[in-house]
Amino acid sequence: MIFKRMNINSLTLEQTKRYYPMLSEKRREKINEMTDPGDRATAFCSEILARQCLSELLDAPEFSFQLLCSPNFRSVVGNYKAHIYVASFGNTVACAASLAPVGACLLPVRPFSFNEAQALFSDAEMRAVYSQSGYSFAELVNRPLCDEENVMKMFALYSSLKESYFRATGRGYRANINKMEFIYNGTEIACSDPAYRVAYCKVDREDNLAISVVEKVTP
């Protein structure tokens, strides 16, 4: 698995000159039609990252890939047996490329409610998320929002892992979402579904983002 990310504000003229000619005419038109400059930059950076990741994964030229890049939705490699997922949030764009199905997610570290966590997580995940809280269970239930820094980071990280998992599986319906668990075993976070593994997970302090990648285990 290859994973890369970039800030759209770091896009250089040299990168534009290098990668813009690699885009199909239809893709150029679609990007140019976007009215929001941030959307245009996100779309273009998605192409750059996808080509860089796939080139490293497959040892193929960056210009050789036929791509459909749709951040936070579905991205496809048309002419190679490889999988990519492009995720974005704010000014950050990330791409994961793998020979197996893969999902990625970026989520902000933010305050959240107990009910929000309870609807999303299993009992074991709830314990992991709140493990560093300074409040009792009764206090946590009654607080309008949890704004403890370490707890917010855990909530964002576990939330991003859940979303990455569903993106990797390609499922659109999240029934029984809290029955699939991500458990910290003392050294790493593991997925309760043995068919998938956590390929990357991190909370970036500078961007205040939880970043995760979940990949299907190849036979």
Side-chain angles (χ1 to χ4, degrees):
M1 191 277 294
I2 306 296
F3 176 75
K4 296 180 183 291
R5 63 180 173 124
M6 68 182 295
N7 189 300
I8 61 174
N9 295 323
S10 68
L11 182 64
T12 64
L13 180 59
E14 288 73 19
Q15 287 175 314
T16 302
K17 289 180 179 179
R18 175 182 174 86
Y19 289 98
Y20 191 75
M22 297 183 191
L23 275 60
S24 67
E25 184 177 347
K26 185 176 181 179
R27 183 59 173 163
R28 293 180 202 170
E29 290 177 357
K30 187 170 183 179
I31 291 177
N32 291 332
E33 288 172 356
M34 296 178 179
T35 57
D36 185 272
D39 290 342
R40 289 198 299 271
T42 295
F44 186 48
C45 289
S46 298
E47 292 275 347
I48 293 174
L49 289 176
R51 292 177 185 279
Q52 289 178 347
C53 289
L54 288 166
S55 178
E56 188 172 336
L57 178 72
L58 301 170
D59 193 25
E62 292 178 331
F63 63 79
S64 65
F65 305 108
Q66 297 174 5
L67 303 176
L68 171 63
C69 291
S70 302
N72 301 325
F73 182 60
R74 185 170 181 263
S75 297
V76 177
V77 187
N79 57 336
Y80 282 83
K81 290 184 177 180
H83 301 264
I84 59 172
Y85 200 97
V86 179
S88 69
F89 185 87
N91 293 329
T92 304
V93 183
C95 179
S98 173
L99 297 178
V102 65
C105 183
L106 312 178
L107 288 179
V109 177
R110 60 172 178 82
F112 64 96
S113 69
F114 185 86
N115 287 340
E116 188 178 1
Q118 195 172 39
L120 183 61
F121 300 136
S122 68
D123 289 344
E125 289 170 330
M126 289 283 282
R127 290 192 294 272
V129 168
Y130 285 108
S131 62
Q132 299 185 52
S133 175
Y135 294 94
S136 68
F137 179 78
E139 289 173 322
L140 289 170
V141 172
N142 292 312
R143 283 175 62 82
L145 290 175
C146 176
D147 57 1
E148 296 174 279
E149 182 179 1
N150 288 337
V151 183
M152 288 192 298
K153 287 179 180 178
M154 292 294 286
F155 175 85
L157 188 60
Y158 274 80
S159 297
S160 70
L161 284 167
K162 288 275 194 177
E163 185 61 31
S164 291
Y165 170 79
F166 282 102
R167 291 176 177 183
T169 62
R171 298 174 186 171
Y173 183 53
R174 288 161 169 73
N176 299 322
I177 188 171
N178 60 357
K179 291 187 178 180
M180 185 283 301
E181 298 178 325
F182 285 94
I183 305 300
Y184 180 67
N185 61 16
T187 57
E188 61 183 7
I189 298 178
C191 183
S192 64
D193 184 343
Y196 291 84
R197 74 179 188 95
V198 177
Y200 185 92
C201 63
K202 178 183 179 182
V203 176
D204 186 281
R205 291 184 178 181
E206 184 176 347
D207 292 333
N208 203 39
L209 288 176
I211 306 167
S212 67
V213 179
V214 173
E215 178 186 33
K216 189 171 184 180
V217 178
T218 53

